[in-house]
Amino acid sequence: MSSASSPAPGFLAQLPRGKMAENVLHFVRMLRAAGLPVGPAKMIDALAAVGAVGIENRDDFREALAAVLVSRSEHLVLFEQAFDLYWRHPRLLEKMLAALLPKVQGRAGDAAELPARLAQAMLPPPRPRQETLEQETDLDATFSFSAREVLQTKDFATMTVEELAEVKALLRRVKLPLPELPVRRTSAAPRGRAIDVRATLRRSVGAAGTLAPLRFRARRRRTPPLVVLCDISGSMDRYARMLLHFLHAITNEGDRVHVLTFGTRLTNITRHLRQRDVDIALAHVAAAVEDWAGGTRIGACLLEFNRHWSRRLLGQNAVVLLISDGLDADAGEGLAFEAERLAKSCARLVWLNPLLRYAGFEARPAGIRALLPWVDDFLPVHNLDSLTDLAKALARGPTRHSGALARAA
Amino acid sequence: MDSQRTPAAVPATVDATLALLGQHDYVADRRLATAVFLALKLGRPLFLEGEAGVGKTEVAKVLAAGLDRRLVRLQCYEGLDTAAAVYEWNYPRQMVEIRLAEAVGGVERAELAHDIFTTRFLLRRPLLQALSPEDGVPPVLLIDELDRADEPFEAYLLEVLSDFQVTIPELGTIRAAAPPVVVITSNRTREIHDAIKRRCLYHWVDYPDASRELEILRRKCPAASEALARQIVGFTQRLRALDLFKAPGIAETLDWAEALIALDRITLDPQTVADTLGALLKYQDDIGAITPDVAARLVDEAQVARAGA
Ligand SMILES: Nc1ncnc2c1ncn2[C@@H]1O[C@H](COP(=O)(O)OP(=O)(O)O)[C@@H](O)[C@H]1O
Ligand SMILES: [Mg+2]
């Protein structure tokens, strides 16, 4: 993309002079409607930026608007699509919308299509079609209580397509409150361990001649990193696809969440999940993960994690969530060894297993027996309620290798 | 250095900005130059985000040189606090002062308290230095790798960037006569809060395309022959297309070029690549991924590209 001065003289020739500001403002509004976080203050900035670079060079004009209106690299694609569409025919918005519509209303699964949000933002507001769209996306508002109750406890694997869509919206709101741990920053604290020289000195002056009582500081606290290892093999398929919505939400919320998938191989999908737009993010995940719904080699994948990722991701008292049914094609070979290493490299190893939904669950398969002795918590993960329980369990703090689990194995 | 210095004028156009960067051997693409130009023109902080080694820090250094201003650098790290970033009292000297006053006697407590919390006992850290420069010329303030600091520092920084002033309880508020040129970088190991970015002009610094990378090599590593430089660029460009944990940045390309020259290599071959890969890739699993086969293929492709160029 060598953009080195491609002047495109008069690319805005169609635009009457006085209309420039109006069009910039309209463009900003459109971006906001499409979901870019551009506040009203950005309007003034955008006008100032355009004023500074002028409109002789299309690339400069675009970069000026981008510098002001974009604040995350993953929004650049959306911005550039919008820019190209909008400024190609600045006066012919209606025409452009017409050209755009059939594309967007086409098949939903097309990842390369223009993000649906952008299309929606470009639609003139009063249209019956958009109302139905809103109903679909804003489910929570219309949810009746009893319907929600049913969904809370219903197994992901037995849900209808509609129910799955509804639950995805709810999944995005589950929060995982890890208990806070001390970090290197300090703040004043009466029972702190380190002496606060500054505060002590101030007191000393006030009490010159006598011995001033010492002041103290203590370490501040923050939540530890969270690393999720999610089994996406055939037996986990339904659950994994749902949980990705949940994982996308928690990855975007905290800066210290990492997600890797495994089936026959290990894939770090954190980068893809950081993409704000859930549709784009999951499309990227689908493209990156090569072993969807295939076999499971848990031991081999944990080995890879231990060897290549553990040191980088498991610092600062990290908590590991292992999401898997524990059904292993390698019959647990090498698994116990790697599970032990994993457990010893993190502060807490939580195993989420959808099989736990069965009342008569027995830890018979070899994979499960190899893993169990090393996990700190063993919890179900088949419906919304179980995720809420997970949140509660995490908030309670660690229970290092509880004896009950070892005995259950 | 004259204490009444007036700062050099900021470039008047995007082209002038591009030229200014070029004069100091920074080969920018036009988009980056536009963002830099706007930041200077509108007096806004410039937020540069991108992978490590793509030339973010260098922008601030080159701007300082080009605008003839001092570079004040705040390197961020986990646990960075105001005592390291803004100011700290010089406790040992204060302590001595208190002892002296006690020994001599006759000094009022209130007076002493006033005396030891004056600028004489103040240690100025980068943010404060940037707001009250000794020579009166607003410097270039580089806040490097902000993603390494933790969120509470970001909140503090946001305040500083909002009105270019800091408050020291014992002294009062210190306000910049003229705001510094601010460049913030992030390697994006985590997301920086949107509130900070909103105050800034944002630019994503991408890996360079082949022609820009070649130009950078010519400028920064003139000892490399044209033929070798082209092969190096062809190879690194292809390497970046692979699925690596950490693709090489410009810094690594330059390191690699230096290594090849030091070994007197005038052309690339798979064995040379294997011997020197450590200059280009920083993770063992990435180095492991470049098997002799892969290296041979990339070398071939780089040669072909050269012939075609
Ligand atoms: N566009 C460029 N022109 C010239 N040299 C560059 C350019 N980009 C990077 N470099 C060189 O590459 C090295 C790494 O750049 P640096 O600014 O430290 O990267 P970053 O801060 O993004 O990690 C430096 O030696 C710098 O001089
Ligand atoms: Mg740097």
Side-chain angles (χ1 to χ4, degrees):
Chain A
M1 250 191 326
S2 83
S3 54
S5 72
S6 61
F11 81 99
L12 290 174
Q14 309 177 44
L15 198 67
R17 283 208 153 269
K19 286 272 168 79
M20 185 65 211
E22 201 178 297
N23 270 276
V24 169
L25 297 186
H26 192 186
F27 178 64
V28 174
R29 249 180 263 129
M30 195 189 76
L31 285 179
R32 178 162 5 131
L36 287 202
V38 281
K42 289 291 183 183
M43 299 239 177
I44 300 160
D45 292 348
L47 288 177
V50 170
V53 299
I55 55 170
E56 284 71 41
N57 182 318
R58 189 177 206 269
D59 291 337
D60 293 359
F61 176 71
R62 182 184 52 205
E63 173 58 26
L65 287 176
V68 169
L69 300 173
V70 176
S71 56
R72 277 183 176 220
S73 65
E74 63 262 32
H75 294 157
L76 279 171
V77 179
L78 190 75
F79 172 86
E80 279 173 17
Q81 286 171 330
F83 181 91
D84 285 344
L85 278 171
Y86 191 87
W87 297 100
R88 199 178 302 146
H89 307 291
R91 273 191 306 174
L92 304 175
L93 180 65
E94 241 57 47
K95 211 177 192 178
M96 175 196 72
L97 287 173
L100 177 73
L101 265 178
K103 243 187 173 177
V104 175
Q105 288 171 341
R107 281 187 312 116
D110 253 332
E113 289 288 69
L114 195 66
R117 286 192 325 210
L118 178 55
Q120 255 176 284
M122 287 172 151
L123 288 170
R127 273 207 185 189
R129 199 190 135 68
Q130 202 193 11
E131 274 170 33
T132 56
L133 273 177
E134 264 172 10
Q135 273 172 16
E136 274 165 28
T137 48
D138 199 14
L139 295 150
D140 210 47
T142 58
F143 238 3
S144 74
F145 178 74
S146 59
R148 205 180 295 181
E149 278 246 288
V150 172
L151 282 183
Q152 290 286 353
T153 52
K154 189 157 184 179
D155 195 313
F156 294 146
T158 62
M159 285 182 180
T160 65
V161 175
E162 289 77 30
E163 285 170 334
L164 286 173
E166 290 174 1
V167 166
K168 279 174 192 166
L170 295 175
L171 272 174
R172 306 191 59 76
R173 309 203 176 163
V174 180
K175 304 250 184 288
L176 288 188
L178 291 173
E180 295 185 331
L181 297 170
V183 297
R184 289 180 51 189
R185 282 173 70 92
T186 62
S187 56
R191 288 166 193 284
R193 292 253 187 108
I195 296 171
D196 186 338
V197 185
R198 176 180 184 166
T200 306
L201 254 176
R202 296 180 68 170
R203 296 276 305 201
S204 299
V205 172
T210 62
L211 209 62
L214 291 176
R215 299 272 136 171
F216 295 94
R217 297 180 73 79
R219 290 178 168 216
R220 292 178 195 230
R221 306 169 75 81
R222 76 182 284 197
T223 55
L226 180 71
V227 175
V228 183
L229 301 174
C230 184
D231 184 339
I232 44 91
S233 63
S235 59
M236 286 289 294
D237 195 33
R238 282 304 280 280
Y239 299 103
R241 281 178 201 276
M242 289 305 288
L243 290 172
L244 276 178
H245 286 262
F246 162 67
L247 296 176
H248 176 257
I250 62 171
T251 308
N252 260 267
E253 194 167 285
D255 55 340
R256 306 214 289 178
V257 179
H258 298 268
V259 182
L260 296 90
T261 62
F262 69 92
T264 52
R265 49 178 298 200
L266 188 71
T267 315
N268 189 333
I269 58 167
T270 313
R271 218 167 6 124
H272 306 302
L273 289 181
R274 290 249 165 90
Q275 179 95 36
R276 258 279 157 81
D277 189 311
V278 65
D279 299 322
I280 299 180
L282 295 189
H284 285 178
V285 168
V289 175
E290 289 174 16
D291 49 346
W292 266 113
T296 332
R297 304 189 55 213
I298 307 181
C301 291
L302 286 192
L303 178 144
E304 197 180 337
F305 179 84
N306 286 334
R307 193 170 286 170
H308 298 312
W309 295 100
S310 166
R311 257 176 306 121
R312 257 175 261 157
L313 303 182
L314 296 187
Q316 300 163 313
N317 295 305
V319 172
V320 174
L321 289 189
L322 176 67
I323 306 177
S324 172
D325 52 17
L327 302 178
D328 184 23
D330 293 341
E333 198 188 309
L335 188 50
F337 180 78
E338 299 302 336
E340 177 178 357
R341 271 221 291 184
L342 177 62
K344 287 179 173 168
S345 325
C346 65
R348 185 174 180 188
L349 176 57
V350 180
W351 185 4
L352 302 178
N353 190 334
L355 290 181
L356 271 188
R357 69 187 181 280
Y358 299 122
F361 172 80
E362 277 182 59
R364 246 177 308 170
I368 297 179
R369 273 185 287 121
L371 272 167
L372 258 184
W374 303 108
V375 303
D376 300 306
D377 307 83
F378 190 40
L379 301 165
V381 64
H382 58 287
N383 59 19
L384 275 173
D385 267 358
S386 50
L387 284 179
T388 315
D389 291 344
L390 166 66
K392 283 189 203 134
L394 288 182
R396 266 200 308 271
T399 49
R400 209 66 262 222
H401 302 317
S402 70
L405 287 183
R407 258 176 277 123
Chain B
M1 291 285 144
D2 190 342
S3 66
Q4 294 309 100
R5 235 159 44 89
T6 43
V10 300
T13 61
V14 175
D15 290 301
T17 312
L18 204 52
L20 181 88
L21 295 171
Q23 278 157 25
H24 294 269
D25 282 334
Y26 193 91
V27 188
D29 68 3
R30 195 175 172 89
R31 288 183 167 205
L32 173 62
T34 308
V36 171
F37 164 72
L38 276 177
L40 295 174
K41 174 101 179 177
L42 304 180
R44 283 295 188 84
L46 179 62
F47 192 104
L48 299 176
E49 197 166 42
E51 302 295 334
V54 292
K56 303 180 296 296
T57 302
E58 187 76 4
V59 170
K61 293 183 186 168
V62 161
L63 272 182
L67 299 174
D68 191 22
R69 302 190 191 209
R70 204 159 79 84
L71 178 70
V72 176
R73 177 176 186 165
L74 175 63
Q75 173 64 55
C76 299
Y77 53 86
E78 193 186 344
L80 176 67
D81 56 11
T82 52
V86 195
Y87 70 94
E88 173 87 299
W89 289 105
N90 190 337
Y91 303 121
R93 283 198 56 191
Q94 286 177 321
M95 209 75 96
V96 170
E97 193 76 7
I98 295 174
R99 283 289 153 78
L100 275 176
E102 283 170 4
V104 174
V107 182
E108 280 293 318
R109 284 174 191 183
E111 199 181 318
L112 181 57
H114 182 264
D115 283 352
I116 69 161
F117 288 111
T118 52
T119 47
R120 207 152 58 91
F121 297 97
L122 195 64
L123 298 172
R124 303 146 80 81
R125 307 293 193 214
L127 284 183
L128 188 56
Q129 288 171 21
L131 296 185
S132 56
E134 265 149 29
D135 60 0
V137 177
V140 172
L141 170 62
L142 166 62
I143 298 168
D144 214 8
E145 304 185 352
L146 180 58
D147 51 330
R148 291 203 194 183
D150 24 27
E151 293 90 343
F153 180 72
E154 266 177 61
Y156 183 83
L157 187 62
L158 184 63
E159 279 176 40
V160 175
L161 293 181
S162 301
D163 27 57
F164 291 107
Q165 63 180 35
V166 297
T167 298
I168 302 174
E170 298 88 346
L171 278 184
T173 298
I174 297 175
R175 192 187 169 83
V181 172
V182 182
V183 178
I184 302 175
T185 79
S186 164
N187 288 345
R188 212 185 180 205
T189 54
R190 66 179 180 83
E191 229 32 92
I192 299 298
H193 201 281
D194 282 335
I196 295 243
K197 293 182 177 177
R198 273 200 294 273
R199 285 221 58 80
C200 304
L201 292 167
Y202 177 87
H203 182 81
W204 172 259
V205 185
D206 223 330
Y207 293 111
D209 59 16
S211 68
R212 193 156 69 86
E213 189 158 37
L214 187 59
E215 183 58 26
I216 294 170
L217 256 184
R218 285 185 190 128
R219 300 260 194 128
K220 291 284 172 80
C221 194
S225 70
E226 180 70 13
L228 180 63
R230 281 178 183 275
Q231 286 184 30
I232 290 173
V233 169
F235 190 90
T236 47
Q237 291 274 330
R238 277 164 184 77
L239 206 52
R240 287 190 194 119
L242 303 182
D243 183 25
L244 297 173
F245 182 71
K246 169 69 183 82
I250 299 169
E252 284 74 30
T253 307
L254 292 174
D255 284 349
W256 193 40
E258 298 290 351
L260 292 172
I261 292 164
L263 293 171
D264 279 330
R265 299 300 147 94
I266 47 168
T267 180
L268 281 190
D269 58 76
Q271 188 55 49
T272 302
V273 169
D275 294 343
T276 54
L277 210 51
L280 212 44
L281 298 174
K282 298 299 172 211
Y283 287 97
Q284 198 51 47
D285 29 340
D286 284 347
I287 293 176
I290 309 304
T291 57
D293 285 356
V294 176
R297 178 170 61 82
L298 293 180
V299 167
D300 272 357
E301 287 175 6
Q303 311 258 9
V304 172
R306 185 180 71 95

